[in-house]
């Protein structure tokens, strides 16, 4: 076990990582709720997607990236990837018991509270939907609420979003993919869609367009990025690590793939132009 509590400082950065650019949707919530904080974003795009990797491979990648972020002085860690959270967060917490760590998981609990008819679709990667943690959560929430969760793997969707193909054209390949995955869920009468991958928030407009093409019923989308940012704020406060005064908060990007791809994602998805570096980790 490794302890970092003794040298963590409020003016240190927060480390955020994902298999690619999907975690930028979580970063957006963190910047909104914790605007004074310095942030480091690590896109492991050279090893994406995580969905086709073994659990041990995802654990190994997560540990290696976390070690790098800690070398950069990170005071807290956000695992902004559903697949990495499901596979690796237990190992990360065991390795770094004093490090504030926040993961993401599909919002099954809030979805059950929102749904009127108890029929909920969970859109996620194949790997995430096979994870024991998610399946156990589904059983727990179903038993407590009576909700039915229909799991829909969205194979290839995260890859499209990595390329900033966001379904803006109703006739493009991303839109066709969404049609294929969402229409059958609506035919089964779901009234709530859980966006179970951080990438999917970036195609929210296209998802809503697909929904409107098939039903006049009110369909609610559930995204967990806001809850992740709130939990991060709670952990920072509990450890007295929140930065309260920072006129020029810094944002630094790292990627294991092309610098240009991550820079394009920052610009196209968040309208930001932070410095981006390539790393081999």
């Amino acid at each position: 076990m490794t302890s970092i509590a003794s040298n963590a400082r409020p003016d240190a950065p927060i480390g955020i990582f994902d298999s690619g650019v999907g975690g930028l949707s979580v970063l957006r919530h963190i910047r909104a709720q914790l605007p004074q904080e310095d942030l480091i974003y690590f896109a492991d795009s050279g090893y994406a997607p995580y969905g086709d990797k073994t659990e041990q491979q995802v654990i190994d990648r997560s540990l290696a990236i976390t070690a790098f972020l800690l070398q950069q002085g990170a005071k807290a860690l956000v695992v902004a990837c559903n697949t990495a959270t499901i596979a690796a967060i237990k190992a990360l917490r065991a390795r770094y018991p004093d490090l504030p760590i926040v993961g993401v998981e599909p919002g099954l609990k809030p979805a059950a509270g929102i749904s009127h008819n108890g029929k909920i679709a969970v859109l996620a990667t194949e790997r995430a939907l096979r994870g024991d943690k998610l399946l156990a959560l589904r059983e727990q929430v179903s038993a407590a609420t009576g909700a039915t969760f229909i799991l829909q793997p969205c194979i290839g969707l995260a890859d499209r979003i990595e390329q900033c193909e966001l379904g803006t054209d109703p006739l493009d390949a991303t839109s066709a993919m969404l049609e294929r995955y969402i229409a059958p869920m609506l035919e089964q009468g779901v009234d709530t869609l859980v966006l179970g991958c951080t990438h999917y928030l970036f195609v929210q407009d296209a998802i809503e367009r697909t929904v409107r093409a098939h039903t006049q019923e009110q369909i609610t989308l559930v995204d967990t990025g806001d809850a992740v940012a709130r939990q991060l704020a709670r952990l920072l406060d509990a450890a007295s690590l929140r930065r309260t005064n920072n006129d020029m908060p810094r944002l630094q990007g790292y990627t294991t793939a092309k610098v240009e791809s991550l820079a394009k994602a920052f610009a196209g998805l968040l309208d930001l132009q932070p410095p981006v570096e390539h790393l081999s980790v």
Side-chain angles (χ1 to χ4, degrees):
M1 294 192 302
T2 305
S3 175
I4 58 98
S6 59
N7 55 17
R9 306 181 321 276
D11 62 350
I14 295 164
I16 304 162
F17 82 88
D18 180 33
S19 60
V21 304
L24 293 177
S25 65
V26 177
L27 180 141
R28 179 165 61 186
H29 284 291
I30 292 170
R31 289 183 77 244
Q33 291 195 34
L34 296 164
Q36 300 90 0
E37 299 289 351
D38 289 347
L39 306 176
I40 301 172
Y41 185 84
F42 193 112
D44 197 21
S45 300
Y47 292 83
Y50 281 180
D52 63 6
K53 305 294 188 293
T54 67
E55 182 174 282
Q56 190 58 52
Q57 285 175 317
V58 176
I59 290 171
D60 291 344
R61 292 305 302 159
S62 299
L63 287 169
I65 293 165
T66 299
F68 168 78
L69 291 170
L70 291 176
Q71 288 169 6
Q72 306 308 302
K75 64 183 178 184
L77 177 73
V78 177
V79 185
C81 173
N82 293 83
T83 301
T85 297
I86 289 166
I89 201 156
K90 185 177 178 181
L92 290 169
R93 286 177 171 148
R95 178 75 60 89
Y96 303 107
D98 298 319
L99 178 68
I101 300 176
V102 183
V104 297
E105 61 183 24
L108 273 59
K109 291 178 185 176
I114 291 167
S115 175
H116 295 295
N117 67 9
K119 294 181 180 179
I120 300 160
V122 183
L123 310 178
T125 65
E126 204 171 16
R127 164 70 62 187
L129 294 180
R130 287 203 308 265
D132 291 342
K133 185 176 179 182
L134 183 138
L135 295 175
L137 179 65
R138 178 178 69 165
E139 295 306 314
Q140 175 192 343
V141 178
S142 291
T145 66
T148 298
F149 294 96
I150 304 169
L151 307 183
Q152 175 60 60
C154 298
I155 298 165
L157 181 56
D159 295 338
R160 298 287 306 172
I161 298 165
E162 280 288 314
Q163 305 303 318
C164 290
E165 301 291 342
L166 305 182
T168 51
D169 183 341
L171 301 178
D172 67 16
T174 303
S175 297
M177 196 174 279
L178 291 171
E179 174 78 17
R180 192 162 67 247
Y181 295 141
I182 292 171
M185 300 295 98
L186 299 174
E187 288 171 7
Q188 293 181 62
V190 303
D191 72 350
T192 307
L193 296 177
V194 176
L195 305 185
C197 172
T198 53
H199 284 75
Y200 299 169
L201 188 64
F202 290 119
V203 290
Q204 180 172 337
D205 289 347
I207 290 172
E208 291 174 345
R209 186 183 66 230
T210 304
V211 167
R212 288 195 302 271
H214 287 273
T215 180
Q216 300 301 312
E217 300 295 325
Q218 179 66 39
I219 306 296
T220 304
L221 304 188
V222 177
D223 155 47
T224 55
D226 181 64
V228 169
R230 282 187 274 112
Q231 174 66 1
L232 175 61
R234 283 193 291 268
L235 292 181
L236 292 178
D237 287 341
S240 299
L241 287 174
R242 190 194 283 235
R243 187 169 190 163
T244 56
N245 184 16
N246 188 2
D247 293 334
M248 293 290 291
R250 291 176 296 164
L251 173 60
Q252 171 70 50
Y254 293 101
T255 179
T256 50
K258 292 182 179 179
V259 165
E260 296 79 12
S261 296
L262 182 54
K264 178 184 175 185
F266 268 117
L269 300 176
L270 299 182
D271 196 24
L272 296 172
Q273 290 83 31
V276 177
E277 294 181 30
H278 171 82
L279 285 177
S280 297
V281 171

